[in-house]
Amino acid sequence: MSTTELPASHAELMDGVYRWQRHIYDLTRKYYLLGRDRLIDGLDVPVGGSVLELGCGTGRNIILAARRYPDAHFFGLDISAEMLETASAAIAREGLLDRVTLAQGDATAFDAKALFGRVGFDRIFVSYSLSMIPGWEKTVSAALAALCPSGSLHVVDFGQQEGLPRWFRTLLRGWLRKFHVAPRSTLREVLESESRRTGASFRFRTLYRGYAWLAVIKIAR
C-alpha cells in the first residue's frame, strides 16, 4: 500500500498525537508498556529469519530485537510518518540500516510484497498497537496471512486489569483515552477464533494481575 492510499484520517490523527510525543515516547512509556521485552525474548527467531513488527513506532522494539537476534532481518510498518522519522534516525544511530527496513502503511491491510519485497515472515509481532488501531481485528487476520509456514504471531497489549483495583483501572483508562488508546476486551476471543480458523496453536498469558496480556499464535503447516 502506498502512502497516498493510507486512510488519511487515522494517519493524520497519529501524526498529530505523536508529532511531539515521539521525542519523549520511549522515556515515558517504559513505565507502563509492560511485557514488551518478554515478548521479544520469546520470539525465538530462526537463524537468518525474518521478523515484521506492525505498529513499530519509534523503533524501540525492533532495535532491541535486532540486538537479541543478530542473524535475523527485521521489517517495521507504521501508519505515522512522524514515528517513522524517529525510528529511522534511531536505527541509523544503532548501525542497523543493513538489517532493518521500514515502511509506512496500514496494519489492517498491507501488501508485504509491495512494501518489503517479501511474501512472508517467520515472526510477526504487535506490541501495544492493537489498542490504537481502528478495525484492529483485521490486523490479526492480515498478520496471520503474512506468516511463513510454521511462523508465529506474537501480541502484547493492555489487558482488562482484572486483578487490579477498580480505581486503578479508572485512572489508567482515563489516561489512555488522551492518546486514543482503548484496551480491547475481546482480544483473547478474537485471537482464539483466528487460531481455530487457521488451525494454529494458541498460547495466552496474563501479566501483572491482568495489566497486560501476552499471546502467541503458531501456524502449524
Side-chain angles (χ1 to χ4, degrees):
M1 176 175 287
S2 69
T3 302
T4 56
E5 294 172 322
L6 295 172
S9 59
H10 190 57
E12 290 169 0
L13 174 63
M14 291 298 97
D15 279 344
V17 169
Y18 293 114
R19 182 163 289 116
W20 306 113
Q21 279 284 321
R22 64 192 173 98
H23 299 294
I24 60 171
Y25 185 91
D26 291 331
L27 179 63
T28 58
R29 267 55 177 187
K30 69 179 181 179
Y31 297 108
Y32 65 91
L33 298 187
L34 308 178
R36 295 180 295 173
D37 294 347
R38 187 175 299 196
L39 178 150
I40 291 169
D41 287 342
L43 289 174
D44 192 24
V45 184
V47 174
S50 56
V51 183
L52 169 65
E53 181 180 11
L54 297 176
C56 64
T58 63
R60 181 262 188 195
N61 296 325
I62 279 185
I63 289 170
L64 290 180
R67 293 175 184 162
R68 176 73 172 77
Y69 305 100
D71 297 315
H73 295 275
F74 291 83
F75 303 84
L77 182 74
D78 204 281
I79 202 168
S80 169
E82 297 284 346
M83 283 299 220
L84 288 172
E85 181 179 337
T86 295
S88 295
I91 289 163
R93 285 195 302 271
E94 293 290 328
L96 294 171
L97 290 175
D98 60 330
R99 289 203 295 125
V100 181
T101 303
L102 302 178
Q104 188 179 12
D106 178 5
T108 67
F110 60 92
D111 185 337
K113 180 68 173 177
L115 291 170
F116 302 113
R118 299 188 62 88
V119 296
F121 304 89
D122 296 299
R123 303 288 185 268
I124 298 177
F125 70 96
V126 193
S127 171
Y128 285 95
S129 291
L130 294 180
S131 52
M132 300 186 69
I133 298 174
W136 60 274
E137 299 92 342
K138 295 178 182 178
T139 298
V140 176
S141 299
L144 291 174
L147 283 173
C148 292
S150 301
S152 56
L153 168 64
H154 302 248
V155 175
V156 66
D157 215 313
F158 291 106
Q160 292 297 292
Q161 300 83 48
E162 55 269 28
L164 295 168
R166 180 172 296 181
W167 64 263
F168 181 88
R169 296 197 301 269
T170 301
L171 287 176
L172 176 64
R173 294 184 181 220
W175 170 255
L176 294 177
R177 279 195 295 271
K178 296 178 183 293
F179 302 99
H180 305 278
V181 177
R184 307 305 188 185
S185 62
T186 60
L187 178 60
R188 180 171 187 168
E189 287 82 356
V190 169
L191 294 176
E192 284 185 309
S193 175
E194 286 295 293
S195 298
R196 290 192 297 270
R197 181 183 65 81
T198 57
S201 66
F202 178 65
R203 300 201 312 269
F204 182 89
R205 293 188 64 183
T206 61
L207 306 177
Y208 316 110
R209 297 172 63 186
Y211 180 92
W213 289 346
L214 178 65
V216 179
I217 299 176
K218 184 173 177 57
I219 300 298
R221 66 171 185 262

